[in-house]
Every structure is written in C-alpha cells, then in structure tokens.
Amino acid sequence: MAIHKRGRQSFVLPQLPVIRNWASVAGKKESEGPLAHTFDITSQDTYFGEKTWEQAEKKMQQMALHKLAEKAGMKKGEFELVLSGDLLNQCIGSSFSLRNTGIPHLGLYGACSTMTESLLLASVMVGGGFADKVVAQTSSHFASSERQYRFPLGYGGQRTPTSQWTVTGSGAALICSSGTGPRIECCTLGTVTDLGIKDANNMGAAMAPAAFETIRAHMQDLNRTPEDFDLIVTGDLGQLGKELLLELGRRNHLPLGGKLADCGTLVFDNTTQDVHAGGSGCGCSAITLCGYLLNQLNEGKLRRILFCGTGALLSPTSTQQGLPIPGVCHAVSIITGRD
Amino acid sequence: MAIHKRGRQSFVLPQLPVIRNWASVAGKKESEGPLAHTFDITSQDTYFGEKTWEQAEKKMQQMALHKLAEKAGMKKGEFELVLSGDLLNQCIGSSFSLRNTGIPHLGLYGACSTMTESLLLASVMVGGGFADKVVAQTSSHFASSERQYRFPLGYGGQRTPTSQWTVTGSGAALICSSGTGPRIECCTLGTVTDLGIKDANNMGAAMAPAAFETIRAHMQDLNRTPEDFDLIVTGDLGQLGKELLLELGRRNHLPLGGKLADCGTLVFDNTTQDVHAGGSGCGCSAITLCGYLLNQLNEGKLRRILFCGTGALLSPTSTQQGLPIPGVCHAVSIITGRD
C-alpha cells in the first residue's frame, strides 16, 4: 500500500483533489464589509425567512448547498457526501439542513476549525477513491452564537475590546477527483493545544498557540518555509490573536510577517464596522474561503496558500467550571488550478 | 486512481484495516449488567475522581486511551490520530481528554452513531495510507446527559416507559494497517432520515428508520443479504426501536429476524436493571463493541458482523422549538481475524 503520510502530522494527496465549485451565503453586516462582492447570496433578514436564528443557520446551509449545486450544474442528489458541522449544540444547523435529502452525511465538530477539517476529510475521501463529489461545509450565526455562548441579545451586554464578532454565513466547497479549479496538495492534522487562557472573550489568544503548532508542524513535516506560500491564512484569530501568532513566530525562528492573513480581519473592516478584535465563528473562514480566497486561487492571483482553520474547543459549561480554553488548528495547502 | 466506492453510499477497503486492540471503561450500573466481565475498567464512583460529571467523561476517555496504549504495548504518543466525539455540548469530553497530549485530533459529531463514524473514518485514513495507528473513540455519561438533555438529576423526574438509560462509559479501538485482529471490510455512509417523531423520550422510534435505510443501502450497494452476517448490531435503538426496525424489515422484504441485536438491549438486563427501553448514548455501542463484540470476533465466535451506530440528531433547542428528531446511522462491516 502506498503511504501518503509525511512526518508526524501531515499527509500528501497522490492525485490532487480539485475544488471544482464553491458557494457562500452571508448576512447583513458581512454584506457591508470589504468582501461583500465575493458572496453569492446576502440577506438583510437575520432570520433568513425562518422563525428562529437556529433555523436561520440551517437555512443558510441549505441555500449554500443549493447554490453550490447550481454553480456545479448538478442536482443536489449527485453529491455523494456532505462533511459538515457548526457551533450550535449538537450541530443542529448541519443535521437539519440535510434532513431527508438522501445525501450521505458525516457530522464534524472542530469549533471554528470545521471548514478546514471538512476540507481535509473531503480530500481524504476523494483522494483515496472512497467517494467523489464531496461537499465540505459549515456555518455560524451571530445571534444564535451570542445567546448560546454568551448572553441573550436583548440583555444588551457590553462587549470587551478583545471580543470578536461571530460571522453570519455559510460556505460550501465541492471536492472532486477531476475537473478544473484550485487543488488540494497536502494537509496537516492539528493537536489540542492549551496554554491556560481562561477568558472566553479572548478566543484569539486561546487559539494562536494551536495555529502556531500546526503551521510549524506543516513546515517541518513537508520541508517547507513560509516563503513557499503566497499567503498563510488563519481562520479567526482576529487582530489580537494574529499579533500573538506573529510574536510566537518571531520567538521560534519561524517568521510569518508579510505572509500571514486572518479571515477574522479580512471579512470585516475593523476600523468602521465596530467588531472589536475582528470576525470569528465557523462561517468566518468558510465565507472567506468560499469566495475571496478560492476566487483568487482560481484566477491565479494567488498561487499557493496554507489555509489554517482555528478552533476554540470550549463550551459554556467548561468555562463555568473554571477550565481553560483548548485550541486546535488544522491546515490544508491549496494551489491554483492555473498550472 | 483506484475507485473503492460501491453503489450509492458504500465503499470497500482495498487492504483491510485491522482493529488491533480495544479498551473500555464503564460505570457502576454497567458493571452490574450482563457484559460486566468484558470491560477493562469499571468504577463505582460516578465522578471517576473528578469534580464534575463532564470532567468525569473526559477522565473516562483518558482512562480508555491509556488502557488502549497499554494493551497495544505502545506509548500514547505513538497514536497518529484520535477520531472522537461525544454528546456534551461542543464535545468537551473529547477535546479536554486530548488537551496537550500532542496527539492529532479530529472531532466528530454523530450523536450516538459516533463510534461507527469514528471507525469508518479511521478505516479511510488507514486504508488510504494517510495515517496509521488511528484511534476511534467516544464516550457518554448518564448524569451529564440527563442534565444537559432532560432534567437535573436532583429534580427526580419520572421517566417514560419509552425512555432509555444513557450508558456511562468510553470505548476506544486502535486501527492499524497491519497486525492481527478483527478487520474492517467495507462501510456504508448514512443519510439524515426523519419520519416526524417529536418525542424526545422515544429515541428508538426516531432512529429506527435511519437504521433501516442504512442497512438496506449496505445490502444493495454490496450485493449482500442479512444471511451473510452472523449478527447485525445496531447502536442504541433499545427494545422499542429494535421492534420497529424488525417491522420495517418485514414490510420492505428485508427480514432481519434472527440476525438483529442492539447494543442498548445487550448492555443492560432490561428485566432487572430498571432501564426501561434499554441503554443509549455514544458509550452504549462503544463499550459493547470494544469488549464483547470485538472479543467474539477475535476468538472466531462471530465471523462477520454489521456494526450500525445509530444517532438521534436532536438538541434541547430543536425540541423546544417543536422540531422533529432526525436520525442517522452509519454501518461498518467487521470480520474475524481468524482466517
């Protein structure tokens, strides 16, 4: 049997799976941000026509999947597997979205790293010949997250300067064994890293060490340097977490300056949109990837990126019990299809 | 590239991954049941030495992983990946268990189907050459589930006759590309199936249609019949769900009688242990597999089983919002290592 594993945490894909199509759905605030023109669908209604925010999240996933099928010129029933998850308790955004569609589904929980986790596993399913036409998808919603993780919105709680704004949106990508589009070369699995941060309003600080560990593992396992990439893009460290990651890089002889971008700082304009430290949530990296980043890769404006989804693996219960916030980060290396 | 997909939802594994070792940890009530002698570790302390039930669940996962390493004659650091999830909000049992261990982790959410989902993805990672020495693991805890999904235990609520008893336990299995032990032949991915059951105290009824759909897909995709198996084992349908599945089989010309067993009815003695319709929870199928079933397969007393984890994809929020309970079921075909 051919062994595709490299180093401690990484593997290569013998025949590069192709990201053939992608689609994104975003909310009102996202539609006022710098990436507005890259979303397929935006809505001014935070309920997306549903009765509750949780159902709105389900609806966004359904809309993104529908749009993806349309862009791919396929029927949804032709998708062979959807790998998806979200932040809601028991991931009901994902499971209710796929109810009675007949599409096979594997549910994931990687907090805000889920877009990368789903891409990574989709690559394995397609690259290994176990399935084709596999969808990687996730979502988050500002209002459903706020009331689940923090306070009811009507309470009007003050947000701390380190807090981030959960993106309302869903992104979906179609991974195939053939066709044209950006391609996935190799992936690095993340470990659960915790340096003891306990402030649930400072996710960036909790996730930065995990991001650093995974980026370092990727470089070591595959004998690469940051210079091999046009961009190293983390999921939702926000302004503060991004600075901490740069500092970790400097201290550990892995300078990331000039290469590092973060979806949490790309998706909103931090100076005018009052989002404090930036965007967050599964949807943050999902809509940034399934729009801006994949468009740039497709057009050859970016030639290789390391897409590093970052997740804070806390729950309100773990926080109430005084526990710290473990972070995780998985990485997927994507190259342009223009070669 | 070799294509391993078969039919609509299934795939075969070209070189059969081996389940080389397995370990289980169980609670007090489980240690009084018919499978008591098959568990590696049992505890009379529902807290497993921790301060909270959520932390007890984390501890059970740590104990099962430790025991697995011991039985495998390996250091935990040699595990290349742990695929795991649980029922706690944001799966904190799994993520806190692996905190700062340095072991790569992918988090899953399949409700009580998680043991099968993790086995399935472990088979893909190992069978495709993307990783080796991969652990599939999950857990559940009666007390943490009751308070999260239903009522505080101290409230002393009456349980309905259709309700099931969440198993306190964790099971872990080590999947390798070589070695001896039961082997995984092929897998079937489940779809999210919902016939409109809304009673959150009747999970068996909600999950039975998903189990039927997946078992039917497995037989069709791989041209098999129930006669090809010694046992078809569902995860946690309980007594009622098992009867409904048998009825679905009869009505759809796929008779399962004589072949069907359910971990929820194996793990407790329903006549003496006051568990109403039987056991449930991720841990239910996990400790039944990582003990009784794998022992029987290893000894050649069972030669081929279809292990069908069943999950009810509800959350307290979806139930409060009046939504039905979607079910999912994945299936993994396991054969004896004695050939």
Side-chain angles (χ1 to χ4, degrees), chain B residues 259-270:
Chain B
K259 295 292 179 184
L260 188 65
D262 180 71
C263 299
T265 63
L266 292 171
V267 75
F268 293 124
D269 181 339
N270 293 17

Side-chain angles (χ1 to χ4, degrees), chain A residues 1-6 8-15 52-55 76-81 83-84 87-92 94-96 98-110 117 120-121 123-132 147-149 177 189-195 313-318 321 323-326 328 330, chain B residues 1-6 8-15 52-55 76-81 83-84 87-92 94-96 98-110 117 120-121 123-132 147-149 177 189-195 313-318 321 323-326 328 330:
Chain A
M1 187 173 67
I3 302 299
H4 308 308
K5 200 191 167 206
R6 296 292 180 271
R8 165 97 188 114
Q9 294 169 232
S10 305
F11 57 85
V12 298
L13 292 147
Q15 279 174 287
T52 67
W53 288 316
E54 289 77 17
Q55 289 302 295
K76 270 185 287 189
E78 292 177 66
F79 295 144
E80 296 185 7
L81 171 64
L83 287 153
S84 59
L87 292 174
L88 294 173
N89 293 343
Q90 288 72 54
C91 299
I92 53 170
S94 304
S95 51
F96 278 83
L98 293 167
R99 197 154 63 103
N100 293 337
T101 57
I103 309 173
H105 168 56
L106 291 173
L108 308 180
Y109 187 76
E117 184 183 356
L120 181 154
L121 284 170
S123 308
V124 165
M125 291 298 291
V126 172
F130 300 102
D132 202 350
R147 76 167 165 193
Q148 180 178 286
Y149 285 100
S177 61
L189 298 159
T191 60
V192 183
T193 304
D194 174 13
L195 296 191
L313 301 170
L314 81 170
S315 81
T317 304
S318 66
Q321 294 181 0
L323 298 170
I325 304 170
V328 74
H330 309 292
Chain B
M1 188 174 66
I3 303 298
H4 309 307
K5 199 188 169 210
R6 296 292 180 270
R8 166 99 188 112
Q9 293 168 233
S10 305
F11 57 85
V12 297
L13 292 148
Q15 280 173 285
T52 68
W53 288 315
E54 289 76 18
Q55 290 302 296
K76 271 185 287 188
E78 292 177 67
F79 296 144
E80 295 184 9
L81 171 63
L83 288 152
S84 59
L87 292 174
L88 294 173
N89 293 343
Q90 287 73 53
C91 299
I92 52 170
S94 304
S95 51
F96 277 82
L98 293 167
R99 196 154 65 102
N100 294 337
T101 57
I103 309 174
H105 168 56
L106 291 172
L108 309 179
Y109 187 77
E117 185 183 356
L120 182 154
L121 284 169
S123 307
V124 164
M125 292 297 292
V126 172
F130 300 101
D132 202 350
R147 75 168 167 193
Q148 180 178 286
Y149 285 102
S177 62
L189 297 159
T191 61
V192 183
T193 304
D194 174 13
L195 296 190
L313 302 169
L314 81 169
S315 82
T317 304
S318 67
Q321 294 181 359
L323 299 170
I325 304 169
V328 74
H330 308 293

Side-chain angles (χ1 to χ4, degrees), chain A:
Chain A
M1 187 173 67
I3 302 299
H4 308 308
K5 200 191 167 206
R6 296 292 180 271
R8 165 97 188 114
Q9 294 169 232
S10 305
F11 57 85
V12 298
L13 292 147
Q15 279 174 287
L16 312 192
V18 178
I19 307 179
R20 215 162 76 182
N21 300 94
W22 47 95
S24 56
V25 173
K28 180 172 181 292
K29 197 175 189 81
E30 294 69 25
S31 76
E32 296 161 354
L35 302 185
H37 60 289
T38 66
F39 306 133
D40 291 296
I41 302 168
T42 58
S43 170
Q44 302 302 301
D45 170 18
T46 56
Y47 287 95
F48 286 77
E50 299 284 323
K51 282 187 187 166
T52 67
W53 288 316
E54 289 77 17
Q55 289 302 295
E57 197 163 336
K58 170 210 74 177
K59 187 66 178 293
M60 286 194 294
Q61 286 209 20
Q62 289 177 329
M63 290 166 74
L65 198 67
H66 188 81
K67 190 71 187 173
L68 184 68
E70 187 187 302
K71 290 174 87 170
M74 289 165 65
K75 293 203 171 81
K76 270 185 287 189
E78 292 177 66
F79 295 144
E80 296 185 7
L81 171 64
V82 174
L83 287 153
S84 59
D86 54 76
L87 292 174
L88 294 173
N89 293 343
Q90 288 72 54
C91 299
I92 53 170
S94 304
S95 51
F96 278 83
S97 159
L98 293 167
R99 197 154 63 103
N100 293 337
T101 57
I103 309 173
H105 168 56
L106 291 173
L108 308 180
Y109 187 76
C112 306
S113 74
T114 304
M115 192 67 218
T116 315
E117 184 183 356
S118 62
L119 269 185
L120 181 154
L121 284 170
S123 308
V124 165
M125 291 298 291
V126 172
F130 300 102
D132 202 350
K133 307 184 191 79
V134 176
V135 177
Q137 180 170 23
T138 184
S139 66
S140 57
H141 192 297
F142 172 74
S144 65
S145 273
E146 281 299 312
R147 76 167 165 193
Q148 180 178 286
Y149 285 100
R150 282 166 283 263
F151 299 107
L153 282 181
Y155 177 74
Q158 276 283 63
R159 303 173 69 239
T160 66
T162 54
S163 70
Q164 293 172 241
W165 189 281
T166 305
V167 162
T168 298
S170 174
L174 176 64
I175 291 86
C176 299
S177 61
S178 63
T180 58
R183 291 166 299 164
I184 299 172
E185 292 182 297
C186 49
C187 306
T188 300
L189 298 159
T191 60
V192 183
T193 304
D194 174 13
L195 296 191
I197 299 286
K198 289 193 176 187
D199 180 357
N201 288 306
N202 192 353
M203 302 288 194
M207 294 186 289
F212 177 72
E213 290 302 334
T214 297
I215 294 168
R216 176 161 66 179
H218 186 84
M219 303 302 168
Q220 284 179 348
D221 290 348
L222 295 150
N223 199 21
R224 291 176 158 188
T225 73
E227 294 307 311
D228 294 322
F229 298 92
D230 288 342
L231 220 53
I232 296 172
V233 197
T234 48
D236 58 344
L237 297 183
Q239 196 53 47
L240 194 73
K242 188 183 162 189
E243 281 163 28
L244 288 170
L245 175 55
L246 285 169
E247 176 67 21
L248 282 167
R250 275 192 296 272
R251 289 194 191 180
N252 290 280
H253 314 291
L254 188 70
L256 299 168
K259 296 292 181 185
L260 189 64
D262 180 72
C263 299
T265 63
L266 292 169
V267 75
F268 293 124
D269 181 339
N270 293 16
T271 58
T272 62
Q273 288 194 283
D274 192 27
V275 292
H276 295 31
S280 69
C282 296
C284 178
S285 62
I287 64 171
T288 306
L289 179 76
C290 297
Y292 174 68
L293 292 171
L294 287 172
N295 290 350
Q296 295 271 309
L297 282 160
N298 199 41
E299 293 161 13
K301 292 176 186 166
L302 288 172
R303 299 194 64 77
R304 182 193 268 164
I305 71 168
L306 190 63
F307 181 65
C308 310
T310 39
L313 301 170
L314 81 170
S315 81
T317 304
S318 66
T319 301
Q320 285 159 13
Q321 294 181 0
L323 298 170
I325 304 170
V328 74
C329 171
H330 309 292
V332 172
S333 176
I334 313 175
I335 57 171
T336 178
R338 304 243 159 184
D339 270 335

